[in-house]
Amino acid sequence: MKKMGEKQERVVVRGLRDVAAAETKISYVNSNGTLYYLGYDIDDLVERVCYEEVAHLLLYNRLPNKKELDEFRFQLISEMKLPEQVIKRIKRAPKDCHPMEVLRTEVSHLSEYDTHTNDNSDAANKKRALELVAKVPTIVAALHRTRTNQQLVTPSQEYGFAENFLYLYRGKPANNQEKEAIDRFMTLHADHGFNASTFAARVTASTNSDMYSAITSAIGTLKGPLHGGACEKVMLMLDDINTEEEVEEYIQGMLDDQKKIMGFGHRVYKAEDPRTKHLRSIAENLCHHTDTLNLYKTCIKIENVVHDKKKIFPNVDFYAAVVLNTLGVSKEFFTPFFASSRISGWTAHVIEQYQDAVLLRPSSEYIGEFGRPFVPIEKR
Ligand code: COA
């Protein structure tokens, strides 16, 4: 029998690398570069479905038929409306705090207007999920409009959901190419296995806390530059590099200083991230049409130089930065756009976690001391 204070050896899996913390049916991420949503290869979905179909798939476990899609879209667009108090708080938020901070607070604030707070049934959570999928993009768009002293825009049932998001943000309707770009961007960002923010949401949900608390945890986690915050940092890097010719020296300088190249590397993928090829092609297309091909060419050069030097590939955030920049989104809103898409995956995972009904609570390996003699405060 172990004595008090005697160490129990445990295997520490640093960073929980390769640890399967739960079972999931929602998405499958494989190191060789494949991603499935509910059994569908992302490559089969991305050019054939709209974001609403993906959100429906994640929340109800199946793709909708035409009638269901129309109804779902109608509900989503109707639910984009925010409570007056939330709009007031968005308008009062200090202009210098990061949009992810305001988003985190206002999602939490939404819970105060939930009319059935104590109902944690599957039906109530599906309804809540739909509302969050609809309202998170509106919070993001409203914050941007407020910060740039522009009128808030009302969503239109004439437009698709992703298109509405861009419309609410920019105040002008998207052209066909932009519509396609934002739809695909949101589809590609909708879910991604047990990434850090999804895991954070599931940990919170595993205590039977409410969905708003779980999503607030997820938003706080996504904000970090090793996760969704990388996208904004990619743009800061691209702003620093003026021409293709500067790439080699810039990247070498970063590596010499032991700095990470933002938008590169991945915990799971050891081959190219399956979302990269789609985002690269959307970026190329948008850059062609907006006379920003130099930016695209600089990105290709960065990709090649980083691969030559470190044998790592761009992740979802690298070309996503170019896509959002070309769509006219300010860089501090890149991560909020990511959150506005991942909200469908987060809510699906929260519901799955409630169904699993198990507390996520790992142990730790204590490496501190035992038996320190206690010294009263007056003798310390
Ligand atoms: N820039 C430079 N080197 C990188 C790198 C990057 N972006 N990503 C990984 N590496 C290096 C690591 O330092 C490590 O080198 P070493 O073997 O010499 O120590 C090697 O590549 C393998 O790294 P790995 O263990 O696979 O990374 P990880 O799982 O610990 O970290 C990330 C994964 C995502 C946190 C990491 O790649 C990173 O910080 N990327 C930049 C931030 C980013 O884009 N985040 C968004 C992720 S979707």
Side-chain angles (χ1 to χ4, degrees), residues 22-40:
E23 294 180 331
T24 182
K25 289 182 177 162
I26 300 173
S27 57
Y28 173 71
V29 180
N30 185 291
S31 62
N32 63 19
T34 47
L35 169 61
Y36 286 74
Y37 292 166
L38 275 303
Y40 295 98

Side-chain angles (χ1 to χ4, degrees), residues 87-140:
I87 294 177
K88 276 195 184 143
R89 283 269 289 271
I90 290 172
K91 289 183 174 166
R92 284 212 309 266
K95 292 229 177 200
D96 55 352
C97 70
H98 196 278
M100 284 298 279
E101 294 166 11
V102 183
L103 180 62
R104 190 185 56 208
T105 304
E106 291 315 315
V107 164
S108 181
H109 191 192
L110 279 179
S111 74
E112 295 172 22
Y113 303 95
D114 188 320
T115 47
H116 39 279
T117 321
N118 295 325
D119 184 354
N120 209 32
S121 65
D122 200 56
N125 280 320
K126 291 242 162 74
K127 184 172 183 303
R128 239 171 236 134
L130 186 144
E131 288 173 15
L132 280 163
V133 169
K135 288 181 179 13
V136 164
T138 322
I139 294 175
V140 171

Side-chain angles (χ1 to χ4, degrees), residues 80-297:
M80 287 182 102
K81 194 171 176 344
L82 297 174
E84 252 336 287
Q85 291 306 320
V86 172
I87 294 177
K88 276 195 184 143
R89 283 269 289 271
I90 290 172
K91 289 183 174 166
R92 284 212 309 266
K95 292 229 177 200
D96 55 352
C97 70
H98 196 278
M100 284 298 279
E101 294 166 11
V102 183
L103 180 62
R104 190 185 56 208
T105 304
E106 291 315 315
V107 164
S108 181
H109 191 192
L110 279 179
S111 74
E112 295 172 22
Y113 303 95
D114 188 320
T115 47
H116 39 279
T117 321
N118 295 325
D119 184 354
N120 209 32
S121 65
D122 200 56
N125 280 320
K126 291 242 162 74
K127 184 172 183 303
R128 239 171 236 134
L130 186 144
E131 288 173 15
L132 280 163
V133 169
K135 288 181 179 13
V136 164
T138 322
I139 294 175
V140 171
L143 180 65
H144 164 71
R145 304 287 299 169
T146 303
R147 286 196 164 177
T148 48
N149 300 316
Q150 302 183 80
Q151 293 278 325
L152 300 195
V153 177
T154 314
S156 164
Q157 289 289 354
E158 300 289 302
Y159 302 148
F161 183 77
E163 192 183 350
N164 256 305
F165 178 26
L166 201 56
Y167 174 55
L168 262 58
Y169 181 90
R170 303 190 310 183
K172 60 170 185 178
N175 63 33
N176 284 341
Q177 201 193 21
E178 292 171 333
K179 267 188 238 173
E180 194 180 276
I182 190 67
D183 230 321
R184 291 183 188 174
F185 172 93
M186 293 188 81
T187 294
L188 290 163
H189 282 77
D191 198 46
H192 202 236
F194 266 44
N195 60 87
S197 55
T198 300
F199 184 56
R202 289 189 71 133
V203 169
T204 305
S206 82
T207 69
N208 280 348
S209 185
D210 64 286
M211 187 177 276
Y212 300 94
S213 299
I215 300 306
T216 305
S217 303
I219 293 171
T221 309
L222 185 74
K223 178 174 178 276
L226 294 189
H227 192 6
C231 200
E232 180 180 346
K233 304 278 183 209
V234 169
M235 204 60 228
L236 288 169
M237 169 173 79
L238 295 175
D239 286 347
D240 269 354
I241 303 176
N242 297 308
T243 62
E244 246 183 281
E245 288 66 45
E246 290 178 17
V247 168
E248 179 96 33
E249 197 185 334
Y250 184 93
I251 297 296
Q252 191 57 55
M254 295 277 286
L255 295 176
D256 290 346
D257 293 346
Q258 312 283 322
K259 289 192 180 139
K260 291 265 180 80
I261 315 295
M262 288 295 149
F264 281 83
H266 201 272
R267 172 55 65 81
V268 181
Y269 298 127
K270 297 306 159 208
E272 187 177 86
D273 183 323
R275 301 164 294 181
T276 298
K277 58 182 176 299
H278 298 291
L279 288 159
R280 190 193 289 114
S281 133
I282 302 166
E284 183 180 13
N285 206 7
L286 287 171
C287 286
H288 255 297
H289 286 83
T290 50
D291 262 349
T292 49
L293 254 191
N294 283 346
L295 176 64
Y296 177 73
K297 285 184 186 158

Side-chain angles (χ1 to χ4, degrees), residues 70-88:
D70 289 346
E71 281 169 14
F72 186 60
R73 179 181 292 131
F74 181 84
Q75 279 179 302
L76 277 178
I77 296 171
S78 310
E79 286 296 344
M80 287 182 102
K81 194 171 176 344
L82 297 174
E84 252 336 287
Q85 291 306 320
V86 172
I87 294 177
K88 276 195 184 143

